[in-house]
Every structure is written in structure tokens, then in C-alpha cells.
């Protein structure tokens, strides 16, 4: 089955702690994206990557970091600098040729203890 | 400022009716338009994509695009309670960009009552 997996489904963060959200895809997509969704809000772009070892900041990158060491994987770290991390985090991917359709993983809900 | 605007709703229609969801966007050169459906607590799933002016039909769903008016809509015919969800409009607002970045509206919450 091809698709995008995210783990964990729920994640709890303590004050001052860094946490990492996993995103893996086996669709052979080149581009990957991280979004944040707050209740009643649209999706806001955190980071995106078109190729391995390269990524760009989105609209709300402060307090987050990413890496793209493998085509299949695009983990997101929520650092202690992110003061309001409680949200639903969505990973997406797409091919870089042809249309821009993005496909989403199931999401990770991050809560602060 | 790149913007995608949607009626926030909520929109409530009876079962069997036509639900009409609207979206406007700020950049006249936008080329790609998408509608996603998001059930509560779940991730968005693609329903329709449209690239040319006019209508595109897929089952009970019809997407309508008018680039001159910078307007894209989604019609759901014979609405079912299972259509109750939030519908997100997404637009590629960057001319000539290969980054494939999409800008999302805040979504319209639709409720279909039996």
C-alpha cells in the first residue's frame, strides 16, 4: 500500500522539551510539506522540501526545524522556542512533475502538558 | 498578500439538496485549484482539482472555475449526511513556480441534516 504515514498519532510535550514528529512516504514523491492547523483555521505552511538535503521556510517556521536526509522521510522537530505548539500537524507530499496535487498523511496531534 | 477566502459557514442543507461552496483568491495568474474534504479530527483528502475555466464534474461533485472573476466553487448534488465535513479550497498562487506551494482557505463547514 502506497501512502504517507505520520507518527505518533498523539504527542505530549513538556515545557522546555523538544519533540520530533515523523513523516514517511513510499509514493516516490520528491516534494514534502509540513502544515500546522489550529481549530477553525486553515492550514499554515511550516517548512517544505523539494529535494533531499534542501528545504525552505514556510510562513510560520519560527520554533520549528526539519531535515531531509532521505527522499522518503521529512521529520519535524518542535523546539522549546515554539511557545504555543498545541495544534494538529499535517505532512503532505507530491510529485514535482506535472500537477501540484498534494496528498496528506493522517496527522499528529500535539498537546502540551 | 496572497489570500484565499472562503465563506466560513457553517452551511447547513437538508439531505438531497445541492450544497454550494465558494472560494475567491487574490492572484489573477493562479493556475491550479483544489478542493479538499476534511472530516473532524482527520486529515484533508482531495475531492477535485480544476485547471481550466468552466465546469468539471465527478459523480455528485462539480467544480466551477472563473479565472476572470478569481472565483472557484464546489457544488455537491444530492447531499448526504456523510458529506458533512469541512471543505478546504487550495490554490497555487505563484506564477511560474515549480515549488507547488498551495495556499489554503480557512474552510467551510458543511452539515447535511437527514
Amino acid at each position: 500500500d502506497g501512502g504517507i504515514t505520520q507518527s505518533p498519532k498523539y504527542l505530549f510535550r513538556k515545557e522546555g522539551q523538544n519533540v520530533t514528529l515523523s513523516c514517511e512516504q513510499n509514493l516516490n514523491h520528491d516534494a514534502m510539506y509540513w502544515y500546522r492547523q489550529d481549530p477553525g483555521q486553515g492550514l499554515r505552511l511550516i517548512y517544505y522540501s523539494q529535494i533531499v538535503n534542501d528545504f525552505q521556510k514556510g510562513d510560520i517556521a519560527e520554533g520549528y526545524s526539519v531535515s531531509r536526509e532521505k527522499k522518503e522521510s521529512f521529520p519535524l522537530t518542535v523546539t522549546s522556542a515554539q511557545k504555543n505548539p498545541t495544534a494538529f500537524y499535517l505532512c503532505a507530499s507530491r510529485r514535482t512533475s506535472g500537477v501540484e496535487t498534494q496528498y496528506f498523511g493522517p496527522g499528529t496531534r500535539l498537546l502540551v502538558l | 498578500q496572497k489570500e484565499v477566502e472562503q465563506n466560513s459557514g457553517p452551511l447547513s442543507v437538508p439531505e438531497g439538496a445541492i450544497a454550494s461552496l465558494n472560494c475567491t483568491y487574490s492572484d489573477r495568474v493562479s493556475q491550479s485549484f483544489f478542493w479538499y474534504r476534511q472530516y473532524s479530527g482527520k486529515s484533508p483528502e482531495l475531492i477535485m482539482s480544476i485547471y481550466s475555466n468552466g465546469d468539471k464534474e465527478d459523480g455528485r461533485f462539480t467544480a466551477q472555475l472563473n479565472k476572470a472573476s478569481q472565483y472557484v466553487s464546489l457544488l455537491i448534488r444530492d447531499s448526504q449526511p456523510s458529506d458533512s465535513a469541512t471543505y478546504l479550497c487550495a490554490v497555487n498562487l505563484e506564477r511560474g513556480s515549480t515549488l507547488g506551494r498551495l495556499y489554503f482557505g480557512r474552510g467551510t463547514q458543511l452539515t447535511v441534516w437527514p
Side-chain angles (χ1 to χ4, degrees):
Chain A
D1 260 346
I4 305 170
T5 57
Q6 290 186 243
S7 62
K9 185 174 181 179
Y10 294 96
L11 184 58
F12 298 91
R13 194 192 89 164
K14 297 178 181 178
E15 289 289 336
Q17 186 181 37
N18 293 353
V19 293
T20 297
L21 285 61
S22 170
C23 178
E24 304 275 336
Q25 54 96 3
N26 62 3
L27 299 169
N28 199 32
H29 286 174
D30 293 299
M32 297 185 74
Y33 306 79
W34 273 106
Y35 294 91
R36 168 179 172 146
Q37 187 176 38
D38 294 280
Q41 302 294 314
L43 277 62
R44 292 187 290 168
L45 184 64
I46 306 173
Y47 269 99
Y48 56 111
S49 167
Q50 275 204 297
I51 57 174
V52 173
N53 293 322
D54 188 47
F55 46 83
Q56 291 81 39
K57 293 182 179 180
D59 298 323
I60 56 166
E62 185 176 350
Y64 300 97
S65 66
V66 293
S67 63
R68 187 85 187 276
E69 297 177 1
K70 299 187 301 182
K71 185 177 182 178
E72 301 79 17
S73 178
F74 191 39
L76 172 74
T77 296
V78 183
T79 75
S80 57
Q82 174 47 247
K83 297 306 179 186
N84 184 23
T86 297
F88 189 40
Y89 290 86
L90 291 158
C91 178
S93 71
R94 72 168 187 100
R95 295 180 298 141
T96 51
S97 60
V99 300
E100 297 92 352
T101 304
Q102 292 184 19
Y103 298 94
F104 287 86
T108 292
R109 195 164 299 277
L110 177 60
L111 301 167
V112 176
L113 294 177
Chain B
Q1 182 79 12
K2 296 179 172 63
E3 291 184 353
V4 177
E5 300 282 349
Q6 292 183 249
N7 294 340
S8 60
L11 176 64
S12 181
V13 301
E15 185 174 356
I18 296 176
S20 177
L21 305 163
N22 304 317
C23 176
T24 58
Y25 56 94
S26 62
D27 190 331
R28 188 176 290 274
V29 299
S30 301
Q31 298 298 318
S32 309
F33 307 85
F34 305 88
W35 283 100
Y36 288 84
R37 177 176 63 198
Q38 186 176 25
Y39 291 113
S40 180
K42 303 295 185 182
S43 63
E45 56 179 324
L46 181 72
I47 298 177
M48 295 280 286
S49 58
I50 186 167
Y51 309 100
S52 304
N53 279 328
D55 294 359
K56 179 181 178 183
E57 188 174 315
D58 184 0
R60 296 185 296 109
F61 299 97
T62 299
Q64 299 175 316
L65 176 60
N66 184 326
K67 290 186 178 181
S69 300
Q70 296 175 228
Y71 175 93
V72 57
S73 66
L74 179 70
L75 300 178
I76 306 174
R77 292 183 302 281
D78 188 24
S79 295
Q80 301 297 309
S82 59
D83 295 325
S84 298
T86 296
Y87 291 81
L88 301 172
C89 173
V91 181
N92 181 339
L93 290 174
E94 295 177 336
R95 180 206 300 258
S97 170
T98 59
L99 295 176
R101 171 168 179 177
L102 296 181
Y103 290 81
F104 286 81
R106 294 190 171 195
T108 298
Q109 184 179 342
L110 171 66
T111 300
V112 181
W113 44 276

